[in-house]
Amino acid sequence: MRVVVVEDEIRIREGIQGLLEMMGHEFAGGAENGLEGLALIQQVQPDLVIADIRMPEMGGLEMLKEMRAQGIQVKAIILSAYSEFDYAKRAMGLGVTEYLLKPVSVDEFSKAMHAIEMQIEKEKAAQPETLGTIEQVVSTILYGQLKADSSVEEYLAKRFGIREGQKIIEICVYLGSGYKDKVQKAEREWSQMLKLKKDLEFCLIQAEYEQSLLVMVYQFGSIQGLKRSIQSWMLEISASADWLGSVGWVEADGIQGIKQKFEMLYRFMDWNITLGQDVLIAYPNVMQVQASICVYPIELENRLKTELCLGDQQRVGKVVDSFHRYFADGKIYTPKDIKECYVRFIWAFIHVTIEIDMLDSASLSQQKVLDRVMGAKLFKELEEAVEEVFGKLQAHADTEEEVAHLTVRRIKSMIHEFYQSGITLDEIALKLNVTPEYLSMQFHKEVGETYTSYLKNYRVNKAKELLIGTQMKQYEIAQEVGYTDSKYFSKVFRECTGYSPADYRKMHK
């Protein structure tokens, strides 16, 4: 048992040291006050602390409080004078189960040490059932349910041969949104590959929250040999392994470091976006990658706006494809820069479609789109985020067709065909052989606005498309959408949008 003694009287400290050595315990160090004792305890991580209740600068109870606050769980014996007996009882609330009155007798000291030994042995005997398999231990450490203290290290050393401070390799295999369908296959193939290696001990942890498989290798030969072997295997299977996403590598010093290093590595898994799925992302090496400056393709955004305003979804799709290919030019960009470009492109897409009434803002959550893009770790996930928004546009168009009553659809069809020359409700009623009153009532009931209002808004939306997507002059746009007087057109446009046509064009360029 490793013991630290914190006592300001040197004779008592040396006397306790002698008793410990005589009983076969290891004296791990001494300190003369609580501050020095706390630093020593943090350094040597003893099994037991023996501390005086009163010392200069920091007493024993204050030191224990600070230990507990830092999560240091160590057995403790408190030393006190008879006059401090009641005060010493408060130590019981700090996890102290033994206290000795000064001057310390050999008999009482021996009994206290024996009681502490029995407690430690009892806890050790219960550990295999409590801690369980290596997978259970690692999983509970990663998610904060278990602190990797000296007792856990001792358990892992005894049962799995993981020594204190030894190198541990953590390999994060990010699977993404298809995690549940892919994780078992990924687990099986990683296990088969690693079992072919000699002198290798590993475990596999399903990290569902991170949508990843964690491969932890804790016994191995050459680190560089293992890394080269895994990189070669990834290149070999990259074309056929449908589960292969982003794979990262980090080295931890002992079991205490696995949680912090895994969290650190996970933040860099998005480098797959620029490096590709067959490259092993090694931390901290990835931090040294020299990236090129990423220039946002404003010309593609302008083409997107033009094609959206022209209403050709096939050509819109071609612009989107060009945007995806823009980043595959052989240069290396930071994932953050690429994601910001995607956010800007998607924002332009959403803004224009809402402005020209091609998409309902309530049909999608812009915050969710932003979170999805910025949280992406695979290039495929960025493509899927764009396709989802593009799919909303198609769904909106399909819904418009399904909902409208046949008569209302015919009215809308005539407005869309004759809005430039102008067509009245009476003329449509005559063509459909129904009364204007019936048409007006049916149209308002299903569309939610009057015929006149719908025609005006349709013309204004067409004007928006021309202002954003063309270089036509204002009077030409007015004539194109059915207004012979450009001043009257400007007045109607301002009533509907709050902006003049010129200001609206500036705002969207």
Side-chain angles (χ1 to χ4, degrees):
M1 190 161 54
R2 303 176 71 235
V3 185
V4 163
V5 180
V6 187
E7 166 63 65
D8 60 323
E9 295 185 45
I10 188 169
R11 287 182 300 174
I12 298 177
R13 192 165 67 243
E14 290 176 347
I16 292 174
Q17 179 181 349
L19 287 173
L20 289 170
E21 291 172 349
M22 183 179 68
M23 294 176 181
H25 299 297
E26 178 187 346
F27 177 70
E32 61 182 24
N33 61 60
L35 287 175
E36 292 180 5
L38 188 61
L40 179 61
I41 292 163
Q42 291 169 335
Q43 179 184 351
V44 304
Q45 298 182 359
D47 301 303
L48 172 65
V49 175
I50 300 174
D52 191 3
I53 200 167
R54 289 194 184 276
M55 291 179 288
E57 296 191 56
M58 179 185 282
L61 294 188
E62 288 77 15
M63 182 186 73
L64 289 177
K65 286 180 183 177
E66 186 60 32
M67 282 170 49
R68 298 298 182 254
Q70 294 181 19
I72 301 173
Q73 303 295 326
V74 180
K75 300 294 181 185
I77 295 176
I78 285 293
L79 306 177
S80 69
Y82 182 77
S83 60
E84 299 163 341
F85 181 78
D86 289 337
Y87 182 50
K89 285 182 179 178
R90 288 175 14 198
M92 308 299 281
L94 298 172
V96 177
T97 56
E98 299 292 331
Y99 54 88
L100 297 172
L101 295 176
K102 298 194 321 188
V104 179
S105 73
V106 176
D107 185 51
E108 290 298 320
F109 184 80
S110 178
K111 287 180 180 179
M113 292 299 295
H114 180 68
I116 294 292
E117 282 182 298
M118 292 295 289
Q119 288 179 31
I120 291 175
E121 287 301 320
K122 186 177 180 181
E123 289 172 5
K124 285 183 178 179
Q127 275 185 345
E129 290 74 31
T130 304
L131 298 182
T133 65
I134 182 67
E135 290 83 4
Q136 290 169 330
V137 174
V138 173
S139 183
T140 51
I141 289 173
L142 287 178
Y143 294 107
Q145 299 159 324
L146 179 68
K147 184 175 176 61
D149 58 18
S150 58
S151 64
V152 173
E153 287 187 327
E154 188 174 339
Y155 171 75
L156 293 175
K158 181 178 179 181
R159 187 163 180 187
F160 303 106
I162 303 176
R163 302 182 309 278
E164 179 183 347
Q166 79 173 49
K167 282 285 184 188
I168 294 174
I169 306 302
E170 293 181 84
I171 302 166
C172 179
V173 185
Y174 176 76
L175 304 174
S177 58
Y179 168 82
K180 290 184 178 179
D181 297 325
K182 298 175 181 177
V183 66
Q184 290 186 348
K185 186 175 182 181
E187 194 171 23
R188 184 169 60 254
E189 295 196 20
W190 273 93
S191 181
Q192 289 172 352
M193 184 272 293
L194 291 172
K195 283 179 179 178
L196 296 174
K197 312 298 176 187
K198 294 181 179 178
D199 303 321
L200 208 67
E201 294 290 342
F202 65 92
C203 66
L204 304 174
I205 312 296
Q206 294 187 10
E208 184 174 359
Y209 179 77
E210 291 83 7
Q211 297 181 319
S212 302
L213 175 69
L214 172 62
V215 181
M216 194 182 90
V217 186
Y218 54 91
Q219 301 290 354
F220 47 86
S222 164
I223 289 181
Q224 291 306 316
L226 177 61
K227 185 185 287 187
R228 284 194 299 270
S229 177
I230 289 174
Q231 179 66 85
S232 298
W233 179 66
M234 287 171 57
L235 287 168
E236 182 183 330
I237 67 170
S238 61
S240 59
D242 56 357
W243 54 263
L244 187 62
S246 180
V247 182
W249 166 294
V250 70
E251 299 166 21
D253 294 318
I255 200 73
Q256 288 191 349
I258 63 169
K259 176 178 169 62
Q260 180 190 17
K261 287 297 178 70
F262 178 66
E263 291 172 349
M264 204 171 292
L265 173 63
Y266 188 74
R267 292 199 294 269
F268 287 87
M269 296 300 289
D270 59 0
W271 273 91
N272 171 276
I273 290 171
T274 188
L275 298 178
Q277 71 173 21
D278 54 1
V279 175
L280 183 64
I281 301 164
Y283 177 87
N285 309 57
V286 69
M287 297 176 68
Q288 310 304 320
V289 173
Q290 296 297 312
S292 302
I293 296 174
C294 187
V295 179
Y296 178 71
I298 188 66
E299 71 282 357
L300 287 178
E301 181 184 309
N302 290 334
R303 276 180 55 197
L304 174 73
K305 292 177 178 178
T306 299
E307 301 302 349
L308 284 170
C309 291
L310 292 173
D312 190 330
Q313 291 199 28
Q314 187 174 4
R315 294 179 66 173
V316 169
K318 289 181 179 179
V319 176
V320 171
D321 290 340
S322 297
F323 182 79
H324 293 320
R325 293 195 302 272
Y326 176 82
F327 301 97
D329 60 355
K331 295 180 181 179
I332 295 177
Y333 305 113
T334 68
K336 179 176 178 291
D337 286 348
I338 294 176
K339 289 178 184 181
E340 288 176 352
C341 286
Y342 265 83
V343 168
R344 182 172 170 182
F345 188 75
I346 291 172
W347 248 233
F349 189 108
I350 293 173
H351 183 68
V352 171
T353 50
I354 291 175
E355 276 294 311
I356 61 178
D357 200 30
M358 292 180 70
L359 191 64
D360 183 2
S361 60
S363 67
L364 56 83
S365 167
Q366 295 185 39
Q367 184 60 49
K368 285 184 178 179
V369 173
L370 173 62
D371 292 343
R372 183 172 180 180
V373 171
M374 297 310 293
K377 298 191 182 299
L378 308 173
F379 195 83
K380 180 183 177 182
E381 292 176 332
L382 294 178
E383 293 177 318
E384 288 172 349
V386 176
E387 295 306 320
E388 181 184 358
V389 177
F390 185 60
K392 294 283 186 183
L393 180 63
Q394 181 61 54
H396 179 75
D398 294 342
T399 302
E400 284 281 293
E401 289 297 314
E402 291 171 6
V403 169
H405 185 272
L406 179 59
T407 302
V408 173
R409 284 174 58 185
R410 294 176 71 180
I411 297 173
K412 283 186 174 183
S413 178
M414 289 183 182
I415 292 173
H416 299 170
E417 184 177 355
F418 298 109
Y419 74 94
Q420 293 167 304
S421 58
I423 185 169
T424 66
L425 188 64
D426 288 346
E427 289 172 324
I428 294 176
L430 186 61
K431 287 178 179 289
L432 298 180
N433 197 29
V434 294
T435 65
E437 291 77 17
Y438 170 78
L439 277 188
S440 177
M441 180 186 68
Q442 194 67 27
F443 191 88
H444 189 274
K445 178 182 177 182
E446 293 199 22
V447 178
E449 61 181 320
T450 64
Y451 172 86
T452 304
S453 174
Y454 182 86
L455 175 60
K456 179 176 67 175
N457 287 328
Y458 187 79
R459 284 172 164 172
V460 168
N461 284 331
K462 284 295 178 183
K464 287 180 182 179
E465 294 175 7
L466 297 173
L467 287 167
I468 296 174
T470 74
Q471 299 299 318
M472 291 173 65
K473 298 184 184 304
Q474 184 175 318
Y475 75 88
E476 293 174 327
I477 292 174
Q479 292 174 356
E480 182 70 20
V481 298
Y483 292 97
T484 55
D485 185 341
S486 63
K487 289 184 178 180
Y488 180 66
F489 160 70
S490 181
K491 178 183 176 183
V492 172
F493 191 89
R494 185 184 290 275
E495 286 176 356
C496 292
T497 66
Y499 300 97
S500 69
D503 289 341
Y504 184 85
R505 171 172 270 170
K506 287 178 184 176
M507 204 168 59
H508 294 278
K509 288 295 184 182

